[in-house]
Amino acid sequence: MKKILITGGAGFIGSHVVRLFVNNYPNYQIYNLDKLTYAGNLANLKDVEDKPNYHFIKADIVDGEQMQALFEDHQFDSVIHLAAESHVDRSIANPMEFIMANIVGTVNLLNAARHQWQGDFEGKRFYHISTDEVYGSLGHTGFFYETTPYDPHSPYSASKASSDHLVRAYHDTYNLPIVISNCSNNYGPNQFPEKLIPLIINNIRNEKPLPVYGKGLNVRDWLYVVDHARAIDVIFHQGGDGETYNIGGHNEWKNIDIVKLVCEIMDGKLGRADGTSEKLITFVKDRAGHDLRYAIDATKLQNELGWMPSLQFEEGIRKTIDWYLENQSWLDEVTSGNYLKYYEEQYQKR
Ligand code: NAD
Ligand code: DAU
């Protein structure tokens, strides 16, 4: 009976990982630890909350003593660590929260695992979930490989790079059994509407301007969130000790093209005349230090562990839009209160 601690399980990607593990592995006990920041939402897990192998712990990974106590109480034998501050624009406005959650929080978990496992690493694993943003920015060609030198540009990506280095340092110094994956941009149900795709869907729904940074020419490599969760499952069970795996969608899009595609699909679904939503596109001041292009080479993961994305983007984006239109009360709930203040502060000055 494995006891797995999943941190950040109430967030976007974490909730899909928790669902997959709770449903696919009834013999594992899954502990979802989450602080429930603005991005954490237990409504994301309604369908699994009553399962006997699911447990929720409300806690802050920045509290090191609490992490040690939880490891002592529950004797976790694996960690899948997703909890983080995850939005680049917020990191530009308020870097310190990112340093605390992403760096200090990760070290607290590493220390708690190391202390609890006491050098007996049989059946133990610390899996750190990271991002392709640690590699910096590509020009118009080329890919990020696992060997690409780190070159982060935002406080968010620098804090994730720092946490990756610390996870590797605990492997090299203390033999802590770790594995890391670095994934490209995720999209899909339950993503908080501060990120590009759900923000655009929400604004089209409300007939509000669609803010596109700079000229909209930055390129991201988009992966459906359930495919990321599938990759995490494979790497958790089969990944090599101390290894790093890149995860990506082989699916590069310029921001402006994604926004236009979402406009076109939503006009159809909402019964609006073709071209209605495109008129809402508004070019705004660019993000500071905006990385031009991300593109992942995921050959290692495909060749060594047999993972490939299962969903084509055209299908994934339609499924995503359908989910948001069918779950408008979820959107209404998360965009009330503090979201409105955040939105005004972020976009008023652009
Ligand atoms: P998210 O912001 O949707 O969710 C983060 C979760 O972590 C929330 O539930 C939040 O409450 C929790 N959390 C934050 N600070 C915490 C703390 N101090 N203690 C406990 N819980 C805390 O993020 P996401 O998009 O689901 O990303 C999850 C992870 O995947 C992050 O580590 C992120 O860096 C990484 N990642 C994200 C993407 C992406 O495209 N979203 C791509 C690659 C990697
Ligand atoms: O690459 C993985 C990363 O992807 C993750 O590590 C991050 O947690 C996740 O937030 C995401 O980072 P990005 O900065 O790429 O995602 P975001 O959705 O914020 O922006 C995507 C692109 O769209 C980026 O080029 C900025 C642009 N953008 C974003 C917003 C919010 C706009 O043009 N307008 C907007 O309003």
Side-chain angles (χ1 to χ4, degrees):
M1 176 78 77
K2 265 192 175 309
K3 280 190 160 190
I4 305 179
L5 174 68
I6 301 184
T7 69
F12 167 48
I13 301 169
S15 61
H16 289 275
V17 174
V18 166
R19 175 175 300 103
L20 186 152
F21 273 75
V22 167
N23 287 334
N24 290 8
Y25 302 102
N27 56 331
Y28 294 175
Q29 293 298 316
I30 303 300
Y31 292 81
N32 168 19
L33 183 156
D34 202 294
K35 181 180 171 186
L36 301 182
T37 68
Y38 75 94
N41 187 347
L42 288 177
N44 294 345
L45 288 165
K46 275 258 162 276
D47 54 322
V48 296
E49 68 184 8
D50 293 329
K51 300 256 171 147
N53 63 336
Y54 172 75
H55 314 272
F56 176 65
I57 302 169
K58 184 171 187 307
D60 185 345
I61 58 171
V62 175
D63 184 341
E65 280 179 18
Q66 195 182 9
M67 292 308 109
Q68 301 262 6
L70 285 168
F71 268 75
E72 274 159 30
D73 287 352
H74 296 288
Q75 311 267 318
F76 305 120
D77 42 28
S78 300
V79 180
I80 304 179
H81 175 38
L82 297 105
E85 288 293 335
S86 70
H87 189 38
V88 174
D89 293 327
R90 287 187 194 253
S91 83
I92 294 167
N94 191 359
M96 203 57 201
E97 278 183 20
F98 286 68
I99 307 307
M100 295 310 290
N102 299 0
I103 306 177
V104 177
T106 300
V107 176
N108 283 337
L109 290 166
L110 289 166
N111 283 337
R114 182 179 161 234
H115 182 257
Q116 185 60 38
W117 296 341
Q118 292 285 338
D120 176 10
F121 297 136
E122 184 63 36
K124 309 288 197 298
R125 168 147 276 188
F126 190 107
Y127 182 1
H128 179 60
I129 307 300
S130 193
T131 170
D132 61 356
E133 298 201 10
V134 298
Y135 298 123
S137 184
L138 291 163
H140 293 287
T141 57
F143 293 95
F144 294 137
Y145 302 93
E146 285 82 359
T147 50
T148 301
Y150 278 24
D151 182 23
H153 297 129
S154 71
Y156 163 69
S157 54
S159 69
K160 291 297 289 187
S162 175
S163 64
D164 291 12
H165 288 315
L166 284 156
V167 172
R168 284 194 191 98
Y170 273 62
H171 177 262
D172 296 347
T173 309
Y174 308 115
N175 297 322
L176 198 80
I178 66 104
V179 65
I180 299 180
S181 56
N182 296 81
C183 188
S184 63
N185 285 63
N186 285 216
Y187 71 99
N190 307 96
Q191 187 169 31
F192 194 80
E194 63 190 349
K195 309 282 168 65
L196 180 69
I197 290 179
L199 184 139
I200 294 300
I201 293 173
N202 189 41
N203 284 15
I204 291 176
R205 170 179 89 109
N206 293 317
E207 298 176 80
K208 282 176 56 179
L210 310 178
V212 174
Y213 297 169
K215 294 186 172 143
L217 300 179
N218 303 66
V219 173
R220 298 290 182 265
D221 170 2
W222 294 93
L223 179 70
Y224 193 64
V225 62
V226 176
D227 276 331
H228 188 188
R230 283 178 48 248
I232 289 172
D233 180 8
V234 170
I235 293 166
F236 176 76
H237 287 101
Q238 297 168 43
D241 183 40
E243 293 290 328
T244 296
Y245 298 89
N246 278 354
I247 310 171
H250 269 296
N251 178 42
E252 291 181 47
W253 284 78
K254 287 193 185 89
N255 293 337
I256 186 67
D257 293 337
I258 290 236
V259 172
K260 286 184 177 168
L261 177 68
V262 174
C263 287
E264 186 190 315
I265 297 173
M266 285 193 66
D267 281 347
K269 290 194 186 283
L270 296 172
R272 294 179 186 164
D274 286 351
T276 305
S277 298
E278 265 199 45
K279 292 196 193 113
L280 297 169
I281 292 175
T282 310
F283 292 96
V284 298
K285 189 169 164 241
D286 209 350
R287 175 184 277 174
H290 198 175
D291 290 332
L292 176 67
R293 175 173 166 259
Y294 303 145
I296 279 277
D297 183 298
T299 310
K300 176 177 173 182
L301 181 56
Q302 182 176 340
N303 288 353
E304 293 185 11
L305 306 183
W307 175 90
M308 290 217 315
S310 68
L311 212 64
Q312 294 294 316
F313 186 67
E314 308 291 333
E315 189 187 346
I317 194 75
R318 282 179 183 277
K319 269 173 92 117
T320 303
I321 291 169
D322 284 344
W323 185 86
Y324 281 99
L325 292 178
E326 283 158 18
N327 290 275
Q328 298 198 39
S329 56
W330 184 96
L331 264 179
D332 288 337
E333 199 174 304
V334 302
T335 53
S336 60
N338 285 340
Y339 178 84
L340 296 176
K341 189 164 167 280
Y342 161 81
Y343 197 90
E344 260 169 40
E345 281 170 10
Q346 270 298 326
Y347 292 93
Q348 203 173 46
K349 60 185 181 221
R350 286 189 185 271

